[in-house]
Amino acid sequence: DDIRHFVEEQRRAKMEVPGPLPVINNDLIVDELQVARSAAYGCAALVLNLPTLGVEQTKVLLKATKAVDLESIVAVSSKEEAQTAIDSGARMLSILHLGTVEDMVAAVDGLVIPEGQQVCKIANILANNDQQLQEIEDAWSVRDQGFNSIW
């Protein structure tokens, strides 16, 4: 229910500054009912965690998101999972749990993408507890390496 309230809050922000943001359901999505609820609540997208769901369930939920006109972001932790996600139809990847910029870049380097298609690459960068603000440097680095977004 929290996500429903957040979507409604964003809907009411139309014509205000700042305007509404698209809502991405980043809850643990495991079945088609959760996909349908996300669509019914007005979410723009949701995250499917490939390592948790497995390949077959990820494919099922990718089809379900397309059926209800939701964008899907598939979270992956390795190059093999990234390629599997693309082969399953994913066009947005969130690279998770990789500690360095080099590891994130390696996870998407050389992926085979279907002709005429593009894949949005999202780097998941965790905040560091130090005062050096290394995560800001990492964000710039992954952008320069071809990532499209930071989470």
Side-chain angles (χ1 to χ4, degrees):
D1 277 343
D2 290 341
I3 197 140
R4 181 178 59 195
H5 296 294
F6 188 70
V7 169
E8 177 60 22
E9 177 184 29
Q10 293 304 304
R11 186 195 62 75
R12 286 191 310 256
K14 287 183 180 177
M15 305 305 290
E16 293 181 12
V17 177
L21 297 171
V23 176
I24 300 171
N25 188 349
N26 193 27
D27 198 4
L28 178 60
I29 306 294
V30 296
D31 61 28
E32 295 94 330
L33 179 59
Q34 290 174 292
V35 172
R37 282 186 181 156
S38 296
Y41 291 161
C43 293
L46 52 75
V47 177
L48 303 174
N49 191 307
L50 179 63
T52 302
L53 294 170
V55 176
E56 293 309 313
Q57 187 63 7
T58 299
K59 287 180 181 180
V60 167
L61 296 179
L62 281 167
K63 288 179 186 176
T65 59
K66 287 179 184 172
V68 294
D69 200 29
L70 275 178
E71 294 287 344
S72 55
I73 301 168
V74 178
V76 298
S77 298
S78 69
K79 184 173 187 161
E80 293 76 20
E81 289 175 359
Q83 188 63 59
T84 298
I86 291 170
D87 295 343
S88 300
R91 294 301 173 259
M92 284 194 277
L93 300 177
S94 178
I95 311 304
L96 300 175
H97 311 302
L98 299 177
T100 68
V101 169
E102 293 78 18
D103 291 339
M104 285 186 270
V105 171
V108 297
D109 187 45
L111 294 174
V112 179
I113 299 170
E115 189 173 332
Q117 299 287 313
Q118 293 182 341
V119 172
C120 176
K121 297 171 279 188
I122 303 165
N124 192 302
I125 298 175
L126 300 176
N128 293 319
N129 289 332
D130 64 9
Q131 299 299 315
Q132 305 301 318
L133 301 176
Q134 182 60 43
E135 61 271 15
I136 295 171
E137 293 293 328
D138 290 350
W140 284 102
S141 294
V142 294
R143 183 212 55 181
D144 293 344
Q145 296 288 332
F147 277 76
N148 307 98
S149 185
I150 307 296
W151 188 292

